[in-house]
Amino acid sequence: MPRYGASPRQSRPRSGREQGQDRTFGAPRLLWMGLVLVLALALALALSDSLVLWAPAEAHPLPPQGHPARLHRIVPRLRDVFGWGNLTCPVCKGLFTAINLGLKKEPNVARVGSMAIKLCNLLKIAPPAVCQSIVQLFEDDMVEVWRRSVLSPSEACGLLLGSTCGHWDIFSSWNISLPTVPKPPPKPPSPPAPGAPVSRVLFLTDLHWDHDYLEGMDPDCADPLCCRQGSGLPPASRPGAGYWGEYSKCDLPLRTLESLLSGLGPAGPFDMVYWTGDIPAHDVWHQTRQDQLRALTTVTALVRKFLGPVPVYPAVGNHESTPVNSFPPPFIEGNHSSRWLYEAMAKAWEPWLPAEALRTLRYLSSMETQEGKKKVHIIGHIPPGHCLKSWSWNYYRIVARYENTLAAQFFGHTHVDEFEVFYDEETLSRPLAVAFLAPSATTYIGLNPGYRVYQIDGNYSGSSHIVLDHETYILNLTQANTPGAIPHWQLLYKARETYGLPNTLPTAWHNLVYRMRGDMQLFQTFWFLYHKGHPPSEPCGTPCRLATLCAQLSARADSPALCRHLMLDGSLPEAQSLWPRPLFC
């Protein structure tokens, strides 16, 4: 059975009749093919979260490649399928000018969708049923986006034909304006006095509840998500999905999340909870708004049931909306807006959040405070090193400017256990902040379920509010799925004790990376914990190891200079080949 989306497909030979049609560049055909191209790119990027970025457990997962890298892989395949190899720049710009005019006059969504389904099948982006469902889910929004002229003819043709025909500046640089008040001198936090209050913060991320999870189903089906109704039964030679979850491309049944929340006692008590999103499952090809709202309300009720009066501070993940990754700006109104989601979140989370935060949530799906001399925690879903370059670099500037104010940063999204170090912008050598990337609750892909607890300098006058240590807890699926077993959530490790850290300040994490460069046993410990106690069967060789270490230094996307000392000190010349690798998804 073909593994959809895993590798480029060899182009099929075309008949003379097809080649003749390509040479004519019929305007009506190309008009619609241009729009189908953009829709196909969107689908490939949406499904790549499931099919490309997340390698099976048998493969060593290097840091995921970014949107530009993925698009550059996809576009040549589309050009080959369409036979656009001899498309000239003037014809291309004329074509996309006509597309823009045509869509503003009469956007034929059904025709675009029909052609996109055929293209998705032809390129084997996904199985046929997934192609049909996800195109139907995306087509309205994509046509609306195009109608609003996101891509100019110059941008579209720059994408298709290269920089000689235009500049595709979706990923171009831009800069925010920071206050003109000079930045105060750096003031590293002082360690808390012995006996000072310590807060325990429960951190939940990437729960990914699968309403259709079904024990016994095939965990290695052709779809992007398995272990569910529709996955079919596995061959007799392989076991089906376990009762509590599975080491495969599967999400969690509700009973596992209920087990997690009901078994928190030994890890508590908690002063507050940070919850950074991605509640729904990875079945991104046929999610409805009702599905997403059901996930939001069901899991929110479960969190409230087991955590009671403990304050919960939630953030929005990229899987909350449908289509996935779809978060239109506030000026988009009507059926294409995200108001349906933000209003539901505000209602569900109203008991936890103050009125000001609820107003901001309804407008921008974010909440912020940076005023006076307060210390600030930032929580979010996608970590800065995994964002598009300009967003990542501007965030990096903000962190550097407010290093004395920013006490800690907490993210999820990657599903694994890692961190990202920030450096001063002048020399990229002084560690000034660290973002903690906590492991997921979900098993997707090939992981144990898990959660994180942070110990933070407590709430008293003069507190630094920095992270003092953290603990990671897991459910060992091998043990839990044994017939008759009772699920037991266990402490996997404590950061300072396991890594021999003097503290958890940025310099300690920077030094840990360089210690792991030369200490293979220490790195193997990190690799084991990175995967929540269930690493891939294939060992992580030198290129994998260096790329993984480089990712811990890369809180700024597409910035290989951050790893220059790690990679190019002469002791590991083979690492030079990894230097250009994009370190964001």
Side-chain angles (χ1 to χ4, degrees), residues 10-211:
Q10 295 295 322
S11 59
R12 63 180 179 89
R14 290 175 290 146
S15 67
R17 181 172 178 268
E18 289 174 309
Q19 292 174 352
Q21 288 176 339
D22 290 337
R23 282 193 295 268
T24 62
F25 290 107
R29 176 173 180 265
L30 289 180
L31 184 79
W32 294 107
M33 283 293 110
L35 183 54
V36 172
L37 163 68
V38 176
L39 181 54
L41 291 173
L43 301 182
L45 291 177
L47 287 171
S48 65
D49 283 339
S50 302
L51 299 172
V52 177
L53 294 183
W54 293 99
E58 289 74 22
H60 58 273
L62 294 177
Q65 292 191 351
H67 290 93
R70 277 180 272 157
L71 291 176
H72 288 312
R73 289 197 304 268
I74 296 167
V75 168
R77 296 165 61 191
L78 295 172
R79 283 205 304 259
D80 181 77
V81 168
F82 290 144
W84 283 4
N86 59 344
L87 178 64
T88 65
C89 185
V91 171
C92 180
K93 290 184 176 179
L95 165 66
F96 281 95
T97 298
I99 289 175
N100 288 341
L101 294 174
L103 282 176
K104 289 177 180 178
K105 183 178 181 181
E106 184 182 3
N108 193 325
V109 176
R111 185 174 180 184
V112 171
S114 175
M115 298 172 74
I117 291 172
K118 294 178 182 177
L119 178 61
C120 181
N121 288 326
L122 182 62
L123 293 177
K124 292 189 181 295
I125 293 175
V130 175
C131 283
Q132 179 166 343
S133 296
I134 198 166
V135 166
Q136 292 172 349
L137 183 62
F138 272 73
E139 59 187 6
D140 285 333
D141 281 5
M142 285 305 303
V143 170
E144 177 66 12
V145 168
W146 186 284
R147 191 183 65 80
R148 290 176 175 269
S149 301
V150 171
L151 281 180
S152 69
S154 179
E155 289 172 327
C157 296
L159 169 62
L160 284 174
L161 302 180
S163 58
T164 58
C165 189
H167 179 56
W168 188 41
D169 63 357
I170 289 179
F171 302 102
S172 63
S173 300
W174 51 269
N175 291 309
I176 60 167
S177 297
L178 293 173
T180 57
V181 178
K183 175 184 173 180
K187 186 179 180 182
S190 301
V198 175
S199 297
R200 290 183 66 82
V201 178
L202 172 64
F203 190 89
L204 300 172
T205 190
D206 297 275
L207 275 61
H208 289 292
W209 165 46
D210 187 357
H211 175 269

Side-chain angles (χ1 to χ4, degrees), residues 220-301:
D220 191 30
C221 66
D223 289 343
L225 184 66
C226 300
C227 302
R228 58 201 324 263
Q229 295 176 7
S231 297
L233 293 172
S237 59
R238 289 194 287 105
Y243 183 78
W244 296 104
E246 190 56 56
Y247 294 126
S248 189
K249 51 178 181 177
C250 306
D251 283 321
L252 293 179
L254 192 64
R255 57 180 168 268
T256 306
L257 296 178
E258 188 166 6
S259 171
L260 185 160
L261 293 167
S262 65
L264 287 171
F270 307 112
D271 296 278
M272 54 187 170
V273 180
Y274 290 163
W275 179 19
T276 60
D278 268 17
I279 304 170
H282 287 87
D283 57 334
V284 298
W285 64 96
H286 62 55
Q287 291 173 335
T288 66
R289 291 182 176 181
Q290 289 72 27
D291 293 334
Q292 308 305 84
L293 295 179
R294 177 181 60 188
L296 169 68
T297 55
T298 301
V299 178
T300 297

